[in-house]
Coordinates of all heavy atoms in Angstrom, one line a residue:
H1489 N -2.9 22.5 -14.2 CA -1.6 21.9 -14.7 C -0.4 22.7 -14.2 O -0.5 23.8 -13.8 CB -1.6 21.9 -16.2 CG -2.6 20.9 -16.8 ND1 -2.3 19.7 -17.3 CD2 -4.0 21.0 -17.1 CE1 -3.3 19.0 -17.7 NE2 -4.4 19.9 -17.6
V1518 N 3.3 16.5 -5.5 CA 2.2 15.7 -6.1 C 1.4 16.6 -6.9 O 1.1 17.8 -6.6 CB 1.4 15.0 -5.0 CG1 0.7 16.0 -4.1 CG2 0.3 14.1 -5.6
K1637 N 22.9 10.2 -21.6 CA 22.5 11.2 -20.7 C 21.1 11.7 -20.9 O 20.6 11.7 -22.0 CB 23.5 12.4 -20.8 CG 24.9 12.1 -20.6 CD 25.8 13.3 -20.8 CE 27.3 13.0 -20.6 NZ 28.2 14.2 -20.8
R1747 N 19.7 11.5 -29.2 CA 20.3 12.2 -30.3 C 21.7 11.8 -30.6 O 22.2 11.9 -31.7 CB 20.3 13.7 -30.1 CG 18.9 14.3 -30.1 CD 19.0 15.9 -30.0 NE 19.7 16.3 -28.8 CZ 19.1 16.4 -27.6 NH1 17.8 16.2 -27.5 NH2 19.8 16.9 -26.5
L1765 N -11.8 -5.1 -26.5 CA -13.3 -5.0 -26.4 C -14.0 -5.8 -27.5 O -14.4 -6.9 -27.2 CB -13.6 -3.5 -26.6 CG -13.1 -2.6 -25.5 CD1 -13.2 -1.1 -25.8 CD2 -13.8 -2.9 -24.2
A1820 N -1.6 -18.6 -26.2 CA -1.0 -19.1 -25.0 C -0.1 -18.1 -24.3 O -0.2 -17.9 -23.1 CB -0.1 -20.4 -25.3
P1847 N -23.3 -0.8 -7.1 CA -23.8 -1.9 -7.9 C -25.3 -1.7 -8.3 O -25.6 -2.1 -9.4 CB -23.7 -3.1 -6.9 CG -23.7 -2.6 -5.6 CD -22.9 -1.3 -5.7
G1868 N -20.4 -8.6 -1.6 CA -19.0 -8.7 -2.1 C -18.9 -9.4 -3.4 O -18.3 -9.0 -4.4
R1941 N 18.2 -13.5 -47.3 CA 17.8 -12.4 -48.2 C 18.6 -11.2 -47.8 O 18.5 -10.7 -46.7 CB 16.3 -12.1 -48.1 CG 15.8 -10.9 -48.9 CD 14.4 -10.5 -48.5 NE 13.9 -9.4 -49.3 CZ 14.1 -8.1 -49.0 NH1 14.9 -7.8 -48.0 NH2 13.6 -7.2 -49.8
I1970 N 11.8 -19.0 -48.3 CA 11.4 -19.4 -49.6 C 11.7 -18.3 -50.6 O 11.5 -17.1 -50.2 CB 9.9 -19.8 -49.7 CG1 9.6 -21.1 -48.9 CG2 9.4 -19.9 -51.1 CD1 8.1 -21.4 -48.7
I1982 N 15.6 -21.4 -37.0 CA 15.5 -22.7 -36.4 C 16.7 -23.0 -35.5 O 17.9 -22.8 -35.9 CB 15.4 -23.8 -37.5 CG1 14.3 -23.5 -38.4 CG2 15.3 -25.2 -36.8 CD1 14.5 -24.1 -39.8
E1986 N 15.4 -27.0 -31.0 CA 14.0 -26.9 -31.3 C 13.5 -28.3 -31.5 O 14.1 -29.2 -32.1 CB 13.8 -26.0 -32.5 CG 12.4 -25.8 -32.9 CD 12.2 -24.8 -34.1 OE1 12.9 -23.8 -34.0 OE2 11.5 -25.1 -35.1
N1988 N 10.1 -30.9 -32.9 CA 9.1 -31.0 -34.0 C 7.8 -30.3 -33.6 O 7.2 -29.7 -34.5 CB 8.9 -32.4 -34.4 CG 10.0 -33.0 -35.2 OD1 10.5 -32.4 -36.1 ND2 10.4 -34.2 -34.9

Side-chain angles (χ1 to χ4, degrees):
H1489 289 262
V1518 61
K1637 299 177 181 178
R1747 293 184 299 275
L1765 297 168
R1941 177 191 181 277
I1970 291 172
I1982 306 152
E1986 184 174 312
N1988 282 317

